[in-house]
């Protein structure tokens, strides 16, 4: 099947859905997602969405917190843009039907998380992401101009490469004409031609064997752009959330929101020591990189598999009322959060880097935008401030729509694009080769490219990953296409980029911590 649309949007999280809603008045839209519309990282977001609402908070404070957390690597102009445009994007969310918790006087009830100096997190109980995903999904389904294709997997972007035209001069000549997609029902490969293509494919949590991310987070968009010779940056900055529920065998790991620490919960070792003040004067509410490293260190020193998060001193009624989702989950495994401490471990959570974009979400490839977690905008620098991700996705979706509609009428379709012509041959029993390599890749990344790194570990990781890379590329050439095989291939691509970029940064900075290079002071300027 060959299809022509004005906008092809790949991904149905907050970034893809909000782009679709805003672009719908300006052209035809095809929004594809490899799973159901609702299965996204967005759906699992707990703590909330950061935006300045009332004094004593101010734009300057939110800007300062973001830059301090980013450890000197944030783009100050982008930080200012996101922080200042955030309140308008929140108004749109309210208009689309998202319901944030309020106090009896009608004002928003604001939460606080690590690295924030004010209460500024709008939230819906402890399942803010679900509230956002459901509201946006309802709106998108009710908008006539948006065609939704579920179980539709984007395999590769279409560029001049598929026309047999080599881009000789420079990267800036590359043009995206849409994408080849695999219909996971019929197993056919379709060609979707688009005037503008938008990558909103989310993060890469499944690179690691412990992650808070659902199985869709396999870095597909980043890998596609890399293969199309677009610019990828800052992949070494992988954020580990300090507190995921320790419950061996469960995947994804259930998140215990940082908002719980903002509410007064404290971290303790198995023997009850409140250890965080040894590491940072902000204690349990220090930024995530600091807390995750401190937990990792305590676990290693003591030989423990987890530390505890203690809420037992908090008002039980308020606790359960504010965190019903966490209460329910913990109850299901016989933990009463009002009486028992919660075992927690760090887990891969968020990717700060990704597809390099400008202030309007434009990638280095013409007619290709990237928004949401797949994009590297400059907001997060070397470490993302909690709850800055959902708001970044909204701000950049809005800016990307405003930019892309300026030229949509002038862009012609390229009718010379050939249909997909890579035909595989082999049989389903090859599946074991895929699943084994998937596990090995996760072990390599977790053991060598995790919270603490070293030159030797990174070198080992690269050597091991290269073997898996070669095997998987061979398999890809001769196999029938499957989602799992494409995802493995994509993860290997993004794993490779993570290792290479980590090797190239000869210092410890934000989320990239290596025992071979000393930690530098943040170079942030205010
Ligand atoms: P996603 O929501 O991940 O959506 C990606 C979409 O792309 C999915 O629809 C997926 O199916 C689709 N897709 C991927 N590859 C393909 C392909 N090849 N073909 C077709 N479709 C594809 N951030 C905050 O700001 N506040 C929070 O409180 C917060 N809590 C979090 C809690 C958890 C447990 C997790 C995992 C993350 C949390 N985050 C939070 C981070 C935030 O949720 C994500 O960064 C954000 O939701 C990403 O949105 P997105 O639209 O970019 O991608
Ligand atoms: C959390 O609720 O702790 C996650 C917030 C985030 O990742 O921004």
């Amino acid at each position: 099947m060959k299809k022509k649309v004005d906008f092809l949007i790949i991904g149905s999280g907050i970034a893809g859905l909000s782009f679709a809603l805003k672009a719908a008045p300006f052209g035809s839209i095809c929004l594809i997602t490899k799973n159901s519309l609702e299965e996204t990282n967005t759906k699992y977001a707990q703590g909330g969405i950061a935006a300045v609402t009332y004094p004593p908070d101010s734009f300057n404070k939110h800007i300062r917190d973001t830059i301090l957390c980013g450890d000197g690597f944030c783009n100050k102009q982008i930080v200012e843009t996101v922080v200042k445009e955030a309140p308008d994007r929140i108004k749109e969310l309210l208009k689309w039907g998202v319901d944030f918790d309020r106090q009896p006087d009608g004002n928003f009830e604001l939460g606080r998380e690590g690295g924030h100096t004010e209460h500024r997190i709008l939230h819906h109980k402890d399942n803010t992401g679900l509230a956002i995903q459901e509201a946006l999904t309802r709106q998108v389904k009710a908008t006539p101009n948006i065609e939704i294709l579920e179980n539709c997997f984007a395999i590769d972007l279409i560029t001049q490469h598929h026309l047999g035209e080599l881009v000789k001069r420079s990267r800036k000549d590359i043009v995206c004409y849409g994408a080849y997609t695999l219909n996971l029902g019929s197993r056919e490969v379709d060609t979707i031609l688009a005037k503008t293509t938008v990558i909103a494919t989310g993060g890469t949590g499944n690179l690691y064997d412990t992650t808070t991310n659902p199985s869709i987070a396999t870095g597909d968009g980043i890998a596609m752009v890399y293969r199309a010779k677009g610019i990828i940056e800052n992949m070494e900055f992988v954020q580990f959330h300090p507190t995921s529920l320790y419950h061996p065998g469960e995947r994804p790991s259930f998140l215990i929101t940082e908002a719980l620490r903002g509410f007064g919960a404290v971290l303790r070792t198995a023997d009850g020591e409140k250890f965080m003040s040894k590491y940072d004067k902000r204690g349990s509410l220090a930024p995530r990189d600091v807390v995750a490293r401190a937990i990792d260190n305590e676990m290693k020193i003591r030989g423990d598999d987890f530390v505890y998060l203690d809420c037992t001193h908090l008002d039980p009624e308020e606790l359960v009322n504010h965190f019903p989702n966490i209460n329910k989950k913990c109850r299901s495994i016989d933990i009463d959060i009002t009486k028992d401490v919660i075992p927690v471990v760090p887990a891969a959570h968020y990717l700060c880097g990704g597809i390099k974009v400008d202030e309007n979400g434009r990638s280095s490839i013409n007619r290709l935008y990237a928004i949401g977690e797949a994009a590297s905008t400059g907001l997060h620098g070397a470490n993302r401030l909690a709850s800055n991700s959902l708001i970044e996705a909204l701000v950049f979706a809005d800016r990307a729509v405003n930019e892309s509609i300026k030229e949509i009428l002038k862009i012609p379709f390229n009718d010379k694009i050939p249909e997909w012509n890579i035909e595989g041959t082999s049989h389903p029993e090859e599946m074991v080769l895929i699943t084994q390599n998937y596990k090995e890749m996760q072990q390599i990344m977790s053991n060598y490219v995790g919270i603490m790194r070293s030159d030797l570990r990174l070198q080992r990781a690269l050597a091991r990953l290269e073997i898996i890379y070669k095997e998987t590329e061979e398999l890809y050439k001769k196999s029938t296409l499957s989602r799992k095989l494409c995802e493995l291939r994509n993860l290997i691509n993004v794993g490779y980029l993570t290792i290479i970029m980590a090797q190239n940064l000869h210092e410890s900075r934000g989320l990239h911590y290596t025992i071979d290079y000393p930690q530098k002071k943040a170079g942030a300027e205010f």
Side-chain angles (χ1 to χ4, degrees):
M1 186 253 289
K2 208 178 219 183
K3 178 190 272 300
K4 288 181 182 176
V5 289
D6 292 325
F7 299 95
L8 168 63
I9 304 170
I10 308 173
S12 61
I14 187 169
L17 294 180
S18 61
F19 184 100
L21 285 173
K22 301 198 94 174
F26 304 99
S28 58
I29 291 179
C30 179
L31 185 142
I32 70 168
T33 178
K34 66 178 170 180
N35 206 296
S36 65
L37 203 55
E38 293 86 5
E39 185 56 2
T40 61
N41 270 17
T42 300
K43 181 177 105 174
Y44 294 87
Q46 289 189 2
I49 181 161
V52 173
T53 43
Y54 319 112
D57 201 5
S58 66
F59 287 152
N60 277 346
K61 286 183 184 170
H62 191 183
I63 290 167
R64 190 186 160 85
D65 291 349
T66 302
I67 291 177
L68 262 182
C69 193
D71 204 4
F73 266 26
C74 296
N75 177 330
K76 193 177 174 209
Q77 204 189 327
I78 294 293
V79 176
E80 283 181 4
T81 299
V82 173
V83 167
K84 290 180 180 168
E85 293 182 11
D88 284 343
R89 302 290 76 80
I90 295 291
K91 280 184 201 142
E92 271 161 4
L93 275 188
L94 294 169
K95 191 187 75 193
W96 287 327
V98 180
D99 187 18
F100 292 117
D101 291 353
R102 291 180 189 264
Q103 295 171 337
D105 64 4
N107 281 345
F108 291 115
E109 189 205 74
L110 302 172
R112 189 172 161 200
E113 292 176 81
H116 290 270
T117 52
E118 290 291 345
H119 283 75
R120 69 165 69 95
I121 322 283
L122 294 124
H123 60 97
H124 179 95
K125 301 285 182 195
D126 56 351
N127 55 10
T128 311
L130 185 64
I132 293 175
Q133 186 73 39
E134 285 180 347
L136 297 189
T137 299
R138 260 195 315 275
Q139 292 292 337
V140 162
K141 283 187 173 164
T143 306
N145 218 14
I146 304 175
E147 181 187 14
I148 298 164
L149 299 180
E150 295 182 303
N151 301 309
C152 177
F153 186 98
I155 309 165
D156 260 322
L157 297 171
I158 304 171
T159 63
Q160 291 97 326
H161 172 76
H162 297 94
L163 289 165
E165 293 172 11
L166 291 176
V167 183
K168 286 194 190 106
R169 279 195 305 279
S170 84
R171 272 174 152 175
K172 70 180 187 331
D173 298 328
I174 305 171
V175 180
C176 178
Y177 301 114
Y180 290 117
T181 62
L182 175 65
N183 179 323
L184 297 175
S186 69
R187 319 228 49 92
E188 271 166 27
V189 178
D190 298 320
T191 309
I192 306 185
L193 297 182
K195 292 180 178 175
T196 293
T197 303
V198 182
I199 302 267
T201 47
T204 59
N206 285 286
L207 269 179
Y208 292 88
D209 56 15
T210 306
T211 178
T212 61
N213 291 191
S215 65
I216 55 106
T218 52
D220 300 350
I222 299 169
M224 285 192 283
V225 172
Y226 172 63
R227 289 195 293 269
K229 307 212 180 320
I231 300 177
I232 311 293
E233 66 175 11
N234 292 348
M235 294 292 289
E236 66 274 43
F237 301 121
V238 178
Q239 186 166 67
F240 285 77
H241 197 291
T243 57
S244 78
L245 181 66
Y246 176 74
H247 189 216
E250 184 171 39
R251 190 176 180 90
S253 300
F254 182 81
L255 185 77
I256 304 291
T257 177
E258 202 161 298
L260 203 50
R261 277 177 279 136
F263 197 72
V266 288
L267 288 159
R268 294 183 189 276
T269 50
D271 55 11
E273 189 198 335
K274 282 192 201 171
F275 58 91
M276 268 314 300
S277 53
K278 276 193 315 206
Y279 296 89
D280 194 289
K281 61 178 186 312
R282 290 161 288 185
S284 291
L285 273 181
R288 260 177 214 179
D289 57 333
V290 177
V291 182
R293 270 198 302 276
I295 294 176
D296 188 63
N297 194 40
E298 290 295 326
M299 282 170 28
K300 286 203 173 110
I301 291 170
R302 291 160 188 267
D304 290 341
D305 289 336
F306 50 81
V307 296
Y308 286 114
L309 189 65
D310 182 3
C311 320
T312 56
H313 54 290
L314 302 172
D315 180 279
E317 206 181 307
E318 282 196 19
L319 182 64
V320 169
N321 187 31
H322 275 83
F323 302 98
N325 189 28
I326 289 175
N327 181 44
K328 187 168 158 217
K329 174 68 190 181
C330 288
R331 285 261 175 196
S332 77
I333 53 168
D334 290 331
I335 296 172
D336 176 349
I337 61 170
T338 66
K339 297 197 182 92
D340 305 321
V341 283
I342 310 170
V344 290
V345 279
H349 182 63
Y350 183 84
L351 175 68
C352 293
I355 302 158
K356 183 177 164 57
V357 295
D358 70 8
E359 70 281 9
N360 294 313
R362 270 178 188 280
S363 76
S364 61
I365 296 180
N366 293 292
R367 300 191 211 165
L368 182 73
Y369 290 77
I371 51 178
E373 191 169 336
S376 175
T377 64
L379 175 69
H380 309 306
N383 182 29
R384 175 180 66 109
L385 182 67
S387 288
N388 261 358
S389 165
L390 295 169
I391 197 66
E392 178 198 42
L394 286 176
V395 167
F396 274 86
D398 175 68
R399 296 178 76 83
V401 169
N402 293 336
E403 185 67 13
S404 58
I405 58 173
K406 285 184 199 156
E407 40 190 40
I408 198 86
L409 290 177
K410 293 181 239 153
I411 299 175
F413 285 109
N414 190 328
D415 285 314
K416 289 187 281 173
I417 301 294
E419 304 237 342
W420 179 259
N421 57 7
I422 302 171
E423 209 49 72
T425 49
S426 75
H427 301 289
E429 53 267 39
E430 298 292 352
M431 197 63 191
V432 65
L433 301 178
I434 300 170
T435 50
Q436 181 56 29
N437 275 358
Y438 203 99
K439 278 188 216 148
E440 280 181 34
M441 181 264 321
Q442 286 175 334
Q443 277 171 3
I444 292 168
M445 294 302 291
S446 302
N447 292 331
Y448 298 135
V449 201
I451 294 175
M452 299 286 246
R453 299 165 179 175
S454 73
D455 283 350
L456 185 60
R457 288 183 200 171
L458 293 174
Q459 199 185 322
R460 282 232 170 136
L462 193 61
R464 303 287 195 280
L465 198 71
E466 256 167 21
I467 298 170
I468 297 180
Y469 166 75
K470 284 186 188 138
E471 287 174 1
T472 306
E473 285 302 307
E474 270 308 300
L475 197 60
Y476 183 80
K477 276 184 210 137
K478 63 177 192 188
S479 297
T480 313
L481 277 184
S482 71
R483 171 176 162 181
K484 205 73 190 160
L485 177 56
C486 291
E487 288 180 339
L488 171 63
R489 186 172 181 241
N490 290 336
L491 280 168
I492 291 170
N493 282 180
V494 294
Y496 167 79
L497 291 169
T498 307
I499 298 168
I500 291 289
M501 292 189 195
Q503 283 183 321
N504 287 340
L505 184 58
H506 294 172
E507 59 175 335
S508 286
R509 169 82 66 175
L511 296 160
H512 172 69
Y513 194 90
T514 161
I515 56 177
D516 289 318
Y517 300 99
Q519 194 162 21
K520 287 214 175 124
K521 274 258 159 267
E525 289 156 22
F526 299 99

